[in-house]
Amino acid sequence: MENKIKAYNNILELVGNTPLVKLKRITEGFAGNFFAKVESFNPGHSSKDRIAVHIIEEAERKGLLTEGSTIIETTSGNTGFSIAMVSIIKGYKCILAVSSKSSKDKIDMLRTMGATVYVCPAHVSADDPRSYYEVAKRLHKETSGSIYINQYFNELNMEAHYQSTGPEIWEQTGGQITHFVACSGTGGTISGTAKYLKEQNPKVKVIGVDAFGSVLKKYHETREFDSNEIYPYRIEGLGKNLIPGATDFDVIDKFVKVTDSESAHTAREIAKTEGIFAGYTSGAVMQALKQLNEEGEFGPKDNVVVIFPDHGSRYMSKVYSDQWMEDQGFFDTNTVSETQKVQYIKE
Ligand code: PMP
């Protein structure tokens, strides 16, 4: 009988081909047209699905993985979730070494996706045998047939975006993109996508978003690593205290820095104006657009594409908690408007 069932063979077939959505209200009064590539449409709800699939399938092509092999990485964030998801479908074991700063929710989420989680002390130096880097390295050495993803220093991270995110944006904009703006963490998204876009049109301007407290912007401008730039900040997934090997700084035209507070408020504004429930770094990239618009970066005919890397549901106890916002000093709960207050009906 002819097969009329229109189903995907597994969840991984849904990775990539995320929608490009025109921004309207939040960019009202800005010069130019603005579009967000909404990466929460990936099945693991973030752009990291792309690198997890690409890096693991490359390892398979090279014969590094066989049934039951182990995949190791050091993150409690989006990458950990994506690797765990790919591991389930492909029949690999997944070990994630995470910092003791990781929330219980995140650890439970990874365990739900079948990962074995090692929680390592946050306040030890990177070369301490108890650090999550060293624990991952040791487990990799001790586990025969394992691979270590190492997203900050793995060139395949960039290649994943060169092969998918870049071509998708070029196609979705009909080649009319003038600016590409994205947050830089490992730098895989911005450099891989930028490399593809600039190969199609070298005039496409690429702008990276960095955090105050991170070394990336200064390194881009001076090629010097300045440890004086480093101090704690709240945005997760953006900026770094080291120079990631997965970033190609030559394809990035400039960096802008954003604050924790403004990015948090802007993330909330995205939900209220565009109806898109996105993560903290989506607020950061949108905040960068506001600053760039103020500086006169864009002209009325420009087509600007930004990446919204993940979904807002991962930040319920952070940016989307009024209490958390108040604890950070970002927000005064007394300013919540009447219509926004929870209305309790008496029993
Ligand atoms: N936003 C979030 C939420 C992330 O987890 C990451 C990845 N660290 C980024 C942005 C930055 O992406 P990339 O690592 O590709 O630079």
Side-chain angles (χ1 to χ4, degrees), residues 46-48 51 75 77-79 151-152 157 161 182-191 216 235-239 246-247 279-282 307-311 315:
S46 89
S47 54
K48 294 296 182 180
I51 75 165
T75 172
N78 290 322
T79 307
Q151 62 167 337
Y152 279 91
N157 172 354
H161 294 285
C183 290
S184 202
T186 66
T189 308
I190 189 163
S191 356
L216 303 178
I235 314 175
E236 296 162 63
L238 160 64
T247 309
Y280 201 171
T281 52
S282 303
I307 302 279
F308 284 177
D310 68 353
H311 197 261
Y315 304 87

PDB file of all heavy atoms in Angstrom, residues 46-48 51 75 77-79 151-152 157 161 182-191 216 235-239 246-247 279-282 307-311 315, ligand 1:
ATOM      1  N   SER A  46      16.755  25.736  20.671  1.00  0.00           N
ATOM      2  CA  SER A  46      17.848  26.713  20.518  1.00  0.00           C
ATOM      3  C   SER A  46      18.689  26.410  19.290  1.00  0.00           C
ATOM      4  O   SER A  46      18.628  25.315  18.719  1.00  0.00           O
ATOM      5  CB  SER A  46      18.749  26.726  21.757  1.00  0.00           C
ATOM      6  OG  SER A  46      19.792  25.783  21.624  1.00  0.00           O
ATOM      7  N   SER A  47      19.517  27.405  18.943  1.00  0.00           N
ATOM      8  CA  SER A  47      20.428  27.290  17.803  1.00  0.00           C
ATOM      9  C   SER A  47      21.460  26.173  17.997  1.00  0.00           C
ATOM     10  O   SER A  47      22.085  25.732  17.044  1.00  0.00           O
ATOM     11  CB  SER A  47      21.159  28.620  17.604  1.00  0.00           C
ATOM     12  OG  SER A  47      21.788  28.998  18.818  1.00  0.00           O
ATOM     13  N   LYS A  48      21.644  25.737  19.249  1.00  0.00           N
ATOM     14  CA  LYS A  48      22.680  24.736  19.532  1.00  0.00           C
ATOM     15  C   LYS A  48      22.348  23.362  18.955  1.00  0.00           C
ATOM     16  O   LYS A  48      23.227  22.524  18.825  1.00  0.00           O
ATOM     17  CB  LYS A  48      22.942  24.658  21.030  1.00  0.00           C
ATOM     18  CG  LYS A  48      23.540  25.924  21.593  1.00  0.00           C
ATOM     19  CD  LYS A  48      24.921  26.225  21.019  1.00  0.00           C
ATOM     20  CE  LYS A  48      25.515  27.472  21.630  1.00  0.00           C
ATOM     21  NZ  LYS A  48      26.844  27.798  21.093  1.00  0.00           N
ATOM     22  N   ILE A  51      24.637  22.724  15.963  1.00  0.00           N
ATOM     23  CA  ILE A  51      26.031  22.286  16.154  1.00  0.00           C
ATOM     24  C   ILE A  51      26.078  20.864  16.713  1.00  0.00           C
ATOM     25  O   ILE A  51      26.958  20.101  16.372  1.00  0.00           O
ATOM     26  CB  ILE A  51      26.875  23.288  16.987  1.00  0.00           C
ATOM     27  CG1 ILE A  51      26.553  23.259  18.473  1.00  0.00           C
ATOM     28  CG2 ILE A  51      26.765  24.701  16.437  1.00  0.00           C
ATOM     29  CD1 ILE A  51      27.623  23.967  19.310  1.00  0.00           C
ATOM     30  N   THR A  75      28.759  21.761  29.680  1.00  0.00           N
ATOM     31  CA  THR A  75      27.782  22.860  29.719  1.00  0.00           C
ATOM     32  C   THR A  75      26.459  22.397  30.287  1.00  0.00           C
ATOM     33  O   THR A  75      26.028  21.279  30.042  1.00  0.00           O
ATOM     34  CB  THR A  75      27.507  23.427  28.308  1.00  0.00           C
ATOM     35  OG1 THR A  75      26.427  24.351  28.376  1.00  0.00           O
ATOM     36  CG2 THR A  75      27.130  22.343  27.311  1.00  0.00           C
ATOM     37  N   GLY A  77      24.015  24.476  29.661  1.00  0.00           N
ATOM     38  CA  GLY A  77      23.170  25.344  28.857  1.00  0.00           C
ATOM     39  C   GLY A  77      22.561  24.643  27.668  1.00  0.00           C
ATOM     40  O   GLY A  77      22.378  23.414  27.658  1.00  0.00           O
ATOM     41  N   ASN A  78      22.274  25.443  26.655  1.00  0.00           N
ATOM     42  CA  ASN A  78      21.580  24.943  25.477  1.00  0.00           C
ATOM     43  C   ASN A  78      22.334  23.817  24.778  1.00  0.00           C
ATOM     44  O   ASN A  78      21.728  22.872  24.290  1.00  0.00           O
ATOM     45  CB  ASN A  78      21.374  26.089  24.491  1.00  0.00           C
ATOM     46  CG  ASN A  78      20.361  27.086  25.011  1.00  0.00           C
ATOM     47  OD1 ASN A  78      19.375  26.704  25.612  1.00  0.00           O
ATOM     48  ND2 ASN A  78      20.602  28.368  24.784  1.00  0.00           N
ATOM     49  N   THR A  79      23.656  23.923  24.720  1.00  0.00           N
ATOM     50  CA  THR A  79      24.434  22.904  24.011  1.00  0.00           C
ATOM     51  C   THR A  79      24.275  21.540  24.679  1.00  0.00           C
ATOM     52  O   THR A  79      24.140  20.520  24.004  1.00  0.00           O
ATOM     53  CB  THR A  79      25.922  23.302  23.939  1.00  0.00           C
ATOM     54  OG1 THR A  79      25.988  24.610  23.386  1.00  0.00           O
ATOM     55  CG2 THR A  79      26.719  22.350  23.061  1.00  0.00           C
ATOM     56  N   GLN A 151      32.924  22.857  22.502  1.00  0.00           N
ATOM     57  CA  GLN A 151      32.334  23.822  21.551  1.00  0.00           C
ATOM     58  C   GLN A 151      33.104  25.125  21.398  1.00  0.00           C
ATOM     59  O   GLN A 151      33.065  25.745  20.338  1.00  0.00           O
ATOM     60  CB  GLN A 151      30.881  24.117  21.919  1.00  0.00           C
ATOM     61  CG  GLN A 151      30.677  24.756  23.276  1.00  0.00           C
ATOM     62  CD  GLN A 151      29.274  25.310  23.476  1.00  0.00           C
ATOM     63  OE1 GLN A 151      28.556  25.619  22.540  1.00  0.00           O
ATOM     64  NE2 GLN A 151      28.854  25.425  24.724  1.00  0.00           N
ATOM     65  N   TYR A 152      33.821  25.560  22.441  1.00  0.00           N
ATOM     66  CA  TYR A 152      34.549  26.835  22.343  1.00  0.00           C
ATOM     67  C   TYR A 152      35.782  26.737  21.449  1.00  0.00           C
ATOM     68  O   TYR A 152      36.301  27.755  20.984  1.00  0.00           O
ATOM     69  CB  TYR A 152      34.958  27.335  23.741  1.00  0.00           C
ATOM     70  CG  TYR A 152      33.807  28.037  24.432  1.00  0.00           C
ATOM     71  CD1 TYR A 152      32.921  27.350  25.249  1.00  0.00           C
ATOM     72  CD2 TYR A 152      33.578  29.393  24.211  1.00  0.00           C
ATOM     73  CE1 TYR A 152      31.846  27.989  25.848  1.00  0.00           C
ATOM     74  CE2 TYR A 152      32.509  30.043  24.798  1.00  0.00           C
ATOM     75  CZ  TYR A 152      31.653  29.344  25.609  1.00  0.00           C
ATOM     76  OH  TYR A 152      30.583  29.993  26.186  1.00  0.00           O
ATOM     77  N   ASN A 157      31.864  23.796  15.012  1.00  0.00           N
ATOM     78  CA  ASN A 157      30.809  24.660  15.553  1.00  0.00           C
ATOM     79  C   ASN A 157      30.500  25.746  14.513  1.00  0.00           C
ATOM     80  O   ASN A 157      29.355  25.932  14.084  1.00  0.00           O
ATOM     81  CB  ASN A 157      31.333  25.231  16.885  1.00  0.00           C
ATOM     82  CG  ASN A 157      30.446  26.304  17.496  1.00  0.00           C
ATOM     83  OD1 ASN A 157      29.466  26.742  16.911  1.00  0.00           O
ATOM     84  ND2 ASN A 157      30.820  26.750  18.694  1.00  0.00           N
ATOM     85  N   HIS A 161      27.102  26.437  11.289  1.00  0.00           N
ATOM     86  CA  HIS A 161      26.366  27.653  10.912  1.00  0.00           C
ATOM     87  C   HIS A 161      26.692  28.096   9.492  1.00  0.00           C
ATOM     88  O   HIS A 161      25.849  28.660   8.803  1.00  0.00           O
ATOM     89  CB  HIS A 161      26.645  28.760  11.934  1.00  0.00           C
ATOM     90  CG  HIS A 161      26.095  28.451  13.288  1.00  0.00           C
ATOM     91  ND1 HIS A 161      24.754  28.532  13.567  1.00  0.00           N
ATOM     92  CD2 HIS A 161      26.695  28.012  14.421  1.00  0.00           C
ATOM     93  CE1 HIS A 161      24.555  28.178  14.832  1.00  0.00           C
ATOM     94  NE2 HIS A 161      25.717  27.856  15.367  1.00  0.00           N
ATOM     95  N   ALA A 182      24.500  39.515  15.735  1.00  0.00           N
ATOM     96  CA  ALA A 182      24.303  38.323  16.570  1.00  0.00           C
ATOM     97  C   ALA A 182      25.174  38.378  17.813  1.00  0.00           C
ATOM     98  O   ALA A 182      26.269  38.954  17.795  1.00  0.00           O
ATOM     99  CB  ALA A 182      24.632  37.058  15.770  1.00  0.00           C
ATOM    100  N   CYS A 183      24.700  37.737  18.870  1.00  0.00           N
ATOM    101  CA  CYS A 183      25.483  37.602  20.092  1.00  0.00           C
ATOM    102  C   CYS A 183      26.640  36.655  19.842  1.00  0.00           C
ATOM    103  O   CYS A 183      26.522  35.708  19.070  1.00  0.00           O
ATOM    104  CB  CYS A 183      24.613  37.019  21.213  1.00  0.00           C
ATOM    105  SG  CYS A 183      23.365  38.160  21.775  1.00  0.00           S
ATOM    106  N   SER A 184      27.740  36.910  20.540  1.00  0.00           N
ATOM    107  CA  SER A 184      28.914  36.066  20.385  1.00  0.00           C
ATOM    108  C   SER A 184      29.269  35.427  21.723  1.00  0.00           C
ATOM    109  O   SER A 184      29.537  36.126  22.696  1.00  0.00           O
ATOM    110  CB  SER A 184      30.071  36.928  19.865  1.00  0.00           C
ATOM    111  OG  SER A 184      31.035  36.148  19.248  1.00  0.00           O
ATOM    112  N   GLY A 185      29.226  34.098  21.748  1.00  0.00           N
ATOM    113  CA  GLY A 185      29.632  33.354  22.937  1.00  0.00           C
ATOM    114  C   GLY A 185      30.824  32.516  22.527  1.00  0.00           C
ATOM    115  O   GLY A 185      31.983  32.927  22.613  1.00  0.00           O
ATOM    116  N   THR A 186      30.540  31.322  21.993  1.00  0.00           N
ATOM    117  CA  THR A 186      31.627  30.567  21.351  1.00  0.00           C
ATOM    118  C   THR A 186      32.035  31.276  20.059  1.00  0.00           C
ATOM    119  O   THR A 186      33.133  31.077  19.564  1.00  0.00           O
ATOM    120  CB  THR A 186      31.170  29.149  20.976  1.00  0.00           C
ATOM    121  OG1 THR A 186      30.153  29.236  19.957  1.00  0.00           O
ATOM    122  CG2 THR A 186      30.619  28.393  22.165  1.00  0.00           C
ATOM    123  N   GLY A 187      31.112  32.050  19.488  1.00  0.00           N
ATOM    124  CA  GLY A 187      31.364  32.744  18.221  1.00  0.00           C
ATOM    125  C   GLY A 187      31.004  31.906  17.009  1.00  0.00           C
ATOM    126  O   GLY A 187      31.101  32.377  15.872  1.00  0.00           O
ATOM    127  N   GLY A 188      30.560  30.679  17.251  1.00  0.00           N
ATOM    128  CA  GLY A 188      30.209  29.796  16.137  1.00  0.00           C
ATOM    129  C   GLY A 188      29.103  30.364  15.266  1.00  0.00           C
ATOM    130  O   GLY A 188      29.204  30.389  14.039  1.00  0.00           O
ATOM    131  N   THR A 189      28.043  30.866  15.896  1.00  0.00           N
ATOM    132  CA  THR A 189      26.902  31.389  15.130  1.00  0.00           C
ATOM    133  C   THR A 189      27.329  32.573  14.272  1.00  0.00           C
ATOM    134  O   THR A 189      27.105  32.583  13.052  1.00  0.00           O
ATOM    135  CB  THR A 189      25.779  31.874  16.075  1.00  0.00           C
ATOM    136  OG1 THR A 189      25.466  30.841  17.001  1.00  0.00           O
ATOM    137  CG2 THR A 189      24.544  32.278  15.303  1.00  0.00           C
ATOM    138  N   ILE A 190      27.937  33.560  14.918  1.00  0.00           N
ATOM    139  CA  ILE A 190      28.245  34.783  14.161  1.00  0.00           C
ATOM    140  C   ILE A 190      29.302  34.517  13.097  1.00  0.00           C
ATOM    141  O   ILE A 190      29.142  34.941  11.952  1.00  0.00           O
ATOM    142  CB  ILE A 190      28.633  35.963  15.100  1.00  0.00           C
ATOM    143  CG1 ILE A 190      28.716  37.249  14.276  1.00  0.00           C
ATOM    144  CG2 ILE A 190      29.922  35.719  15.870  1.00  0.00           C
ATOM    145  CD1 ILE A 190      28.678  38.505  15.094  1.00  0.00           C
ATOM    146  N   SER A 191      30.375  33.793  13.417  1.00  0.00           N
ATOM    147  CA  SER A 191      31.436  33.663  12.409  1.00  0.00           C
ATOM    148  C   SER A 191      31.054  32.733  11.275  1.00  0.00           C
ATOM    149  O   SER A 191      31.355  33.032  10.121  1.00  0.00           O
ATOM    150  CB  SER A 191      32.785  33.225  12.984  1.00  0.00           C
ATOM    151  OG  SER A 191      32.832  33.110  14.333  1.00  0.00           O
ATOM    152  N   LEU A 216      35.760  39.976  24.513  1.00  0.00           N
ATOM    153  CA  LEU A 216      35.689  39.824  23.055  1.00  0.00           C
ATOM    154  C   LEU A 216      35.847  41.140  22.281  1.00  0.00           C
ATOM    155  O   LEU A 216      36.612  41.214  21.314  1.00  0.00           O
ATOM    156  CB  LEU A 216      34.370  39.138  22.643  1.00  0.00           C
ATOM    157  CG  LEU A 216      34.108  37.766  23.253  1.00  0.00           C
ATOM    158  CD1 LEU A 216      32.749  37.233  22.780  1.00  0.00           C
ATOM    159  CD2 LEU A 216      35.211  36.772  22.904  1.00  0.00           C
ATOM    160  N   ILE A 235      24.192  37.916  32.040  1.00  0.00           N
ATOM    161  CA  ILE A 235      23.686  37.300  30.797  1.00  0.00           C
ATOM    162  C   ILE A 235      24.462  36.000  30.533  1.00  0.00           C
ATOM    163  O   ILE A 235      25.690  36.003  30.578  1.00  0.00           O
ATOM    164  CB  ILE A 235      23.844  38.217  29.563  1.00  0.00           C
ATOM    165  CG1 ILE A 235      23.378  39.630  29.884  1.00  0.00           C
ATOM    166  CG2 ILE A 235      23.071  37.663  28.371  1.00  0.00           C
ATOM    167  CD1 ILE A 235      23.617  40.624  28.753  1.00  0.00           C
ATOM    168  N   GLU A 236      23.720  34.929  30.272  1.00  0.00           N
ATOM    169  CA  GLU A 236      24.363  33.634  30.021  1.00  0.00           C
ATOM    170  C   GLU A 236      24.419  33.352  28.522  1.00  0.00           C
ATOM    171  O   GLU A 236      23.434  33.559  27.822  1.00  0.00           O
ATOM    172  CB  GLU A 236      23.550  32.506  30.672  1.00  0.00           C
ATOM    173  CG  GLU A 236      23.495  32.596  32.175  1.00  0.00           C
ATOM    174  CD  GLU A 236      22.353  31.744  32.717  1.00  0.00           C
ATOM    175  OE1 GLU A 236      22.394  30.520  32.544  1.00  0.00           O
ATOM    176  OE2 GLU A 236      21.416  32.323  33.298  1.00  0.00           O
ATOM    177  N   GLY A 237      25.584  32.899  28.059  1.00  0.00           N
ATOM    178  CA  GLY A 237      25.718  32.494  26.655  1.00  0.00           C
ATOM    179  C   GLY A 237      26.334  33.563  25.785  1.00  0.00           C
ATOM    180  O   GLY A 237      26.571  33.341  24.602  1.00  0.00           O
ATOM    181  N   LEU A 238      26.617  34.718  26.357  1.00  0.00           N
ATOM    182  CA  LEU A 238      27.119  35.849  25.581  1.00  0.00           C
ATOM    183  C   LEU A 238      28.408  36.349  26.226  1.00  0.00           C
ATOM    184  O   LEU A 238      28.475  36.502  27.435  1.00  0.00           O
ATOM    185  CB  LEU A 238      26.053  36.946  25.612  1.00  0.00           C
ATOM    186  CG  LEU A 238      26.421  38.380  25.305  1.00  0.00           C
ATOM    187  CD1 LEU A 238      26.889  38.507  23.875  1.00  0.00           C
ATOM    188  CD2 LEU A 238      25.202  39.263  25.511  1.00  0.00           C
ATOM    189  N   GLY A 239      29.442  36.574  25.395  1.00  0.00           N
ATOM    190  CA  GLY A 239      30.721  37.059  25.912  1.00  0.00           C
ATOM    191  C   GLY A 239      31.509  35.929  26.545  1.00  0.00           C
ATOM    192  O   GLY A 239      31.004  34.806  26.705  1.00  0.00           O
ATOM    193  N   ALA A 246      36.725  29.004  18.385  1.00  0.00           N
ATOM    194  CA  ALA A 246      35.622  28.813  17.420  1.00  0.00           C
ATOM    195  C   ALA A 246      35.124  30.135  16.844  1.00  0.00           C
ATOM    196  O   ALA A 246      34.140  30.158  16.117  1.00  0.00           O
ATOM    197  CB  ALA A 246      34.474  28.068  18.096  1.00  0.00           C
ATOM    198  N   THR A 247      35.815  31.244  17.175  1.00  0.00           N
ATOM    199  CA  THR A 247      35.416  32.555  16.621  1.00  0.00           C
ATOM    200  C   THR A 247      36.415  32.983  15.556  1.00  0.00           C
ATOM    201  O   THR A 247      37.623  32.968  15.805  1.00  0.00           O
ATOM    202  CB  THR A 247      35.405  33.641  17.726  1.00  0.00           C
ATOM    203  OG1 THR A 247      34.646  33.176  18.831  1.00  0.00           O
ATOM    204  CG2 THR A 247      34.807  34.944  17.206  1.00  0.00           C
ATOM    205  N   GLY A 279      14.781  34.182  24.792  1.00  0.00           N
ATOM    206  CA  GLY A 279      15.720  34.150  25.919  1.00  0.00           C
ATOM    207  C   GLY A 279      16.412  35.481  26.181  1.00  0.00           C
ATOM    208  O   GLY A 279      16.165  36.484  25.503  1.00  0.00           O
ATOM    209  N   TYR A 280      17.307  35.448  27.164  1.00  0.00           N
ATOM    210  CA  TYR A 280      17.996  36.661  27.628  1.00  0.00           C
ATOM    211  C   TYR A 280      18.870  37.260  26.515  1.00  0.00           C
ATOM    212  O   TYR A 280      18.919  38.480  26.334  1.00  0.00           O
ATOM    213  CB  TYR A 280      18.850  36.270  28.850  1.00  0.00           C
ATOM    214  CG  TYR A 280      19.268  37.366  29.799  1.00  0.00           C
ATOM    215  CD1 TYR A 280      19.884  37.035  31.013  1.00  0.00           C
ATOM    216  CD2 TYR A 280      19.067  38.722  29.511  1.00  0.00           C
ATOM    217  CE1 TYR A 280      20.290  38.005  31.915  1.00  0.00           C
ATOM    218  CE2 TYR A 280      19.468  39.708  30.410  1.00  0.00           C
ATOM    219  CZ  TYR A 280      20.087  39.339  31.611  1.00  0.00           C
ATOM    220  OH  TYR A 280      20.494  40.298  32.501  1.00  0.00           O
ATOM    221  N   THR A 281      19.563  36.408  25.750  1.00  0.00           N
ATOM    222  CA  THR A 281      20.448  36.962  24.717  1.00  0.00           C
ATOM    223  C   THR A 281      19.653  37.535  23.534  1.00  0.00           C
ATOM    224  O   THR A 281      20.199  38.338  22.780  1.00  0.00           O
ATOM    225  CB  THR A 281      21.467  35.924  24.206  1.00  0.00           C
ATOM    226  OG1 THR A 281      20.775  34.744  23.814  1.00  0.00           O
ATOM    227  CG2 THR A 281      22.504  35.590  25.251  1.00  0.00           C
ATOM    228  N   SER A 282      18.392  37.145  23.388  1.00  0.00           N
ATOM    229  CA  SER A 282      17.551  37.789  22.364  1.00  0.00           C
ATOM    230  C   SER A 282      17.310  39.229  22.804  1.00  0.00           C
ATOM    231  O   SER A 282      17.302  40.157  21.987  1.00  0.00           O
ATOM    232  CB  SER A 282      16.225  37.047  22.205  1.00  0.00           C
ATOM    233  OG  SER A 282      16.463  35.701  21.885  1.00  0.00           O
ATOM    234  N   ILE A 307      19.719  37.242  15.293  1.00  0.00           N
ATOM    235  CA  ILE A 307      19.410  35.890  15.760  1.00  0.00           C
ATOM    236  C   ILE A 307      18.793  35.975  17.149  1.00  0.00           C
ATOM    237  O   ILE A 307      19.354  36.626  18.040  1.00  0.00           O
ATOM    238  CB  ILE A 307      20.703  35.022  15.861  1.00  0.00           C
ATOM    239  CG1 ILE A 307      21.441  34.924  14.515  1.00  0.00           C
ATOM    240  CG2 ILE A 307      20.405  33.641  16.451  1.00  0.00           C
ATOM    241  CD1 ILE A 307      20.914  33.914  13.546  1.00  0.00           C
ATOM    242  N   PHE A 308      17.627  35.339  17.327  1.00  0.00           N
ATOM    243  CA  PHE A 308      17.084  35.114  18.667  1.00  0.00           C
ATOM    244  C   PHE A 308      17.467  33.663  19.014  1.00  0.00           C
ATOM    245  O   PHE A 308      16.834  32.716  18.524  1.00  0.00           O
ATOM    246  CB  PHE A 308      15.561  35.272  18.682  1.00  0.00           C
ATOM    247  CG  PHE A 308      15.056  36.700  18.643  1.00  0.00           C
ATOM    248  CD1 PHE A 308      13.692  36.961  18.591  1.00  0.00           C
ATOM    249  CD2 PHE A 308      15.930  37.786  18.681  1.00  0.00           C
ATOM    250  CE1 PHE A 308      13.202  38.273  18.573  1.00  0.00           C
ATOM    251  CE2 PHE A 308      15.458  39.102  18.662  1.00  0.00           C
ATOM    252  CZ  PHE A 308      14.094  39.344  18.608  1.00  0.00           C
ATOM    253  N   PRO A 309      18.514  33.441  19.845  1.00  0.00           N
ATOM    254  CA  PRO A 309      19.096  32.096  19.978  1.00  0.00           C
ATOM    255  C   PRO A 309      18.244  31.041  20.679  1.00  0.00           C
ATOM    256  O   PRO A 309      18.368  29.864  20.380  1.00  0.00           O
ATOM    257  CB  PRO A 309      20.386  32.324  20.762  1.00  0.00           C
ATOM    258  CG  PRO A 309      20.682  33.783  20.610  1.00  0.00           C
ATOM    259  CD  PRO A 309      19.339  34.443  20.518  1.00  0.00           C
ATOM    260  N   ASP A 310      17.411  31.452  21.643  1.00  0.00           N
ATOM    261  CA  ASP A 310      16.677  30.391  22.352  1.00  0.00           C
ATOM    262  C   ASP A 310      15.341  30.889  22.902  1.00  0.00           C
ATOM    263  O   ASP A 310      14.927  32.018  22.642  1.00  0.00           O
ATOM    264  CB  ASP A 310      17.552  29.725  23.433  1.00  0.00           C
ATOM    265  CG  ASP A 310      17.871  30.646  24.599  1.00  0.00           C
ATOM    266  OD1 ASP A 310      17.533  31.843  24.540  1.00  0.00           O
ATOM    267  OD2 ASP A 310      18.465  30.150  25.588  1.00  0.00           O
ATOM    268  N   HIS A 311      14.689  30.033  23.667  1.00  0.00           N
ATOM    269  CA  HIS A 311      13.311  30.256  24.111  1.00  0.00           C
ATOM    270  C   HIS A 311      13.253  30.842  25.525  1.00  0.00           C
ATOM    271  O   HIS A 311      14.076  30.509  26.378  1.00  0.00           O
ATOM    272  CB  HIS A 311      12.561  28.911  24.079  1.00  0.00           C
ATOM    273  CG  HIS A 311      11.073  29.046  24.128  1.00  0.00           C
ATOM    274  ND1 HIS A 311      10.357  28.892  25.283  1.00  0.00           N
ATOM    275  CD2 HIS A 311      10.183  29.344  23.163  1.00  0.00           C
ATOM    276  CE1 HIS A 311       9.069  29.082  25.024  1.00  0.00           C
ATOM    277  NE2 HIS A 311       8.937  29.362  23.735  1.00  0.00           N
ATOM    278  N   TYR A 315      14.235  30.779  31.144  1.00  0.00           N
ATOM    279  CA  TYR A 315      14.626  31.910  32.007  1.00  0.00           C
ATOM    280  C   TYR A 315      13.523  32.306  32.982  1.00  0.00           C
ATOM    281  O   TYR A 315      13.476  33.435  33.446  1.00  0.00           O
ATOM    282  CB  TYR A 315      15.038  33.110  31.126  1.00  0.00           C
ATOM    283  CG  TYR A 315      16.139  32.714  30.172  1.00  0.00           C
ATOM    284  CD1 TYR A 315      15.837  32.149  28.934  1.00  0.00           C
ATOM    285  CD2 TYR A 315      17.478  32.826  30.540  1.00  0.00           C
ATOM    286  CE1 TYR A 315      16.840  31.722  28.083  1.00  0.00           C
ATOM    287  CE2 TYR A 315      18.484  32.403  29.687  1.00  0.00           C
ATOM    288  CZ  TYR A 315      18.153  31.857  28.465  1.00  0.00           C
ATOM    289  OH  TYR A 315      19.146  31.422  27.630  1.00  0.00           O
TER     290      TYR A 315
HETATM  291  N1  PMP B   1      22.665  32.900  23.260  1.00  0.00           N
HETATM  292  C1  PMP B   1      22.586  31.823  24.038  1.00  0.00           C
HETATM  293  C2  PMP B   1      21.404  31.679  24.942  1.00  0.00           C
HETATM  294  C3  PMP B   1      23.590  30.851  24.010  1.00  0.00           C
HETATM  295  O1  PMP B   1      23.497  29.759  24.802  1.00  0.00           O
HETATM  296  C4  PMP B   1      24.703  31.054  23.158  1.00  0.00           C
HETATM  297  C5  PMP B   1      25.789  30.025  23.135  1.00  0.00           C
HETATM  298  N2  PMP B   1      26.788  30.121  24.122  1.00  0.00           N
HETATM  299  C6  PMP B   1      24.769  32.216  22.379  1.00  0.00           C
HETATM  300  C7  PMP B   1      23.718  33.102  22.449  1.00  0.00           C
HETATM  301  C8  PMP B   1      25.931  32.541  21.493  1.00  0.00           C
HETATM  302  O2  PMP B   1      26.081  31.669  20.408  1.00  0.00           O
HETATM  303  P1  PMP B   1      27.515  31.212  19.967  1.00  0.00           P
HETATM  304  O3  PMP B   1      28.068  30.322  21.048  1.00  0.00           O
HETATM  305  O4  PMP B   1      27.306  30.493  18.683  1.00  0.00           O
HETATM  306  O5  PMP B   1      28.376  32.426  19.817  1.00  0.00           O
END
